[in-house]
Amino acid sequence: MVDYNQLPATSRVWIYQSNQAFSDVQTQEIQQNLEHFVAQWQSHGAPVKAWSGIRYHRFVIFVVDEDHEAPSGCSIDSSVAIIKDIEQKMNVNMFDRLNFAYKVDTNTVKSADREDFASLYNSNKIDDSTTVFNNLVNTKADLESKWEIPLGTSWHANMV
């Protein structure tokens, strides 16, 4: 696996969010599986220059230098397969795009479905300054600058 800091800002990003936090033990197990996967990840027989990791015990992130070797459809499918495996083994949902994650404090992230998220907002438990996660970012540069953003400036604001 490539060092995250060695990947260019233009690297492609995929983010998968769990509907619940992983325990420390689960996080360690998933990270080991991700490292093994990325070490052997190939596209048309060529190694994919990539990094994968877990943030906040909830987000699985792949970062790929497409200038080195762009992943093919089959190689992207193999990354989706590992996410489906995580879902099954950890009994979580990693594909619900209407499960919104938000920060409670510096290191704690919670999530809520669309209805509960709107209720949290309407009851002032979260507000426009609450940090939310824009899992639609496409590049490493965007991951670093546009992933964690205030609710009031995000697409999430349309959901409350």
Side-chain angles (χ1 to χ4, degrees):
M1 182 159 65
V2 176
D3 182 308
Y4 174 85
N5 296 317
Q6 300 302 315
L7 291 166
T10 57
S11 295
R12 176 80 188 270
V13 170
W14 288 271
I15 301 171
Y16 298 91
Q17 173 188 309
S18 174
N19 64 325
Q20 53 190 307
F22 302 120
S23 70
D24 289 342
V25 171
Q26 290 173 320
T27 298
Q28 184 177 21
E29 179 183 337
I30 294 167
Q31 185 63 48
Q32 288 172 347
N33 290 339
L34 291 171
E35 288 173 10
H36 175 74
F37 170 76
V38 170
Q40 56 80 40
W41 198 5
Q42 294 189 353
S43 178
H44 299 294
V48 174
K49 187 176 178 182
W51 172 90
S52 186
I54 300 172
R55 294 199 180 157
Y56 298 109
H57 285 70
R58 187 177 289 266
F59 301 94
V60 175
I61 302 173
F62 291 101
V63 182
V64 176
D65 180 357
E66 289 186 314
D67 292 336
H68 175 75
E69 184 66 41
S72 63
C74 291
S75 63
I76 292 170
D77 288 348
S78 67
S79 69
V80 171
I82 195 169
I83 298 300
K84 288 182 178 181
D85 187 55
I86 292 168
E87 274 191 321
Q88 183 180 8
K89 286 181 179 173
M90 304 302 166
N91 196 30
V92 296
N93 185 332
M94 302 287 294
F95 291 97
D96 183 355
R97 300 291 183 203
L98 293 178
N99 184 268
F100 305 127
Y102 59 97
K103 272 190 173 179
V104 176
D105 59 41
T106 307
N107 294 313
T108 306
V109 173
K110 291 190 176 188
S111 66
D113 63 31
R114 182 179 180 175
E115 185 177 308
D116 289 342
F117 191 74
S119 293
L120 288 167
Y121 186 83
N122 292 331
S123 64
N124 296 317
K125 293 181 180 168
I126 61 174
D127 59 31
D128 288 343
S129 66
T130 301
T131 299
V132 294
F133 296 85
N134 178 14
N135 296 329
L136 303 176
V137 297
N138 288 313
T139 65
K140 180 183 170 194
D142 287 346
L143 175 66
E144 294 172 355
S145 64
K146 298 177 183 174
W147 181 48
E148 296 183 43
I149 56 177
L151 169 60
T153 63
S154 74
W155 63 266
H156 300 77
N158 296 327
M159 302 296 162
V160 296

